[in-house]
Amino acid sequence: MPRDTPPLALPALKPTEAETGPVTFGGHPALPAGVTWPRRCDGRPHHYALTIDFARLPREMEQAGHGYLMPDMPETGRLFLFLPLDGDHIFDADPVCLFSDAPTGDPIAPPADLPKLDPDDAFVFD
């Protein structure tokens, strides 16, 4: 990729609940009805990281005087990313990506047994 290619993700973002856009970080996910909060094999819940709303993603963008076409992606639907965080690192488990075309519900609070993360850690999203 050329060095002036736009980044797909930025590290250590500290968003607020008021931020809206095609990608939202942290807060509470608005999961569709019937979709449950993902858990590890040992029963511990994953930490919610972000939602990508494909209907709101730009299909073209310009940066540094160059035009870019974004890769083929779904036209609708949302992808929810959950990470198996443990302290300040990713636990030895796979992240969970949930994709749905179904309408989203109201934002839901994380499970009561979700471990709190240190706000000074780079991986804190909420």
Side-chain angles (χ1 to χ4, degrees):
M1 287 184 140
R3 290 184 81 56
D4 59 352
T5 300
L8 297 178
L10 299 173
L13 294 174
K14 294 197 176 189
T16 65
E17 289 284 337
E19 288 186 54
T20 58
V23 180
T24 53
F25 295 86
H28 297 160
L31 296 173
V35 176
T36 59
W37 198 284
R39 292 181 173 268
R40 303 175 201 175
C41 293
D42 64 7
R44 291 186 292 166
H46 279 61
H47 285 82
Y48 168 67
L50 62 90
T51 299
I52 300 172
D53 184 347
F54 288 102
R56 298 181 66 195
L57 279 176
R59 300 299 168 196
E60 298 178 17
M61 63 186 305
E62 186 175 320
Q63 181 174 341
H66 299 283
Y68 296 95
L69 293 177
M70 299 304 283
D72 290 336
M73 291 182 242
E75 296 281 327
T76 61
R78 289 178 180 80
L79 181 125
F80 303 89
L81 176 65
F82 292 82
L83 299 175
L85 301 179
D86 189 13
D88 63 351
H89 62 280
I90 294 180
F91 185 73
D92 188 20
D94 292 328
V96 173
C97 292
L98 304 174
F99 176 82
S100 178
D101 272 342
T104 57
D106 292 327
I108 61 170
D113 61 338
L114 183 73
K116 296 293 182 199
L117 299 175
D118 184 341
D120 293 329
D121 290 336
F123 296 114
V124 173
F125 291 100
D126 55 6

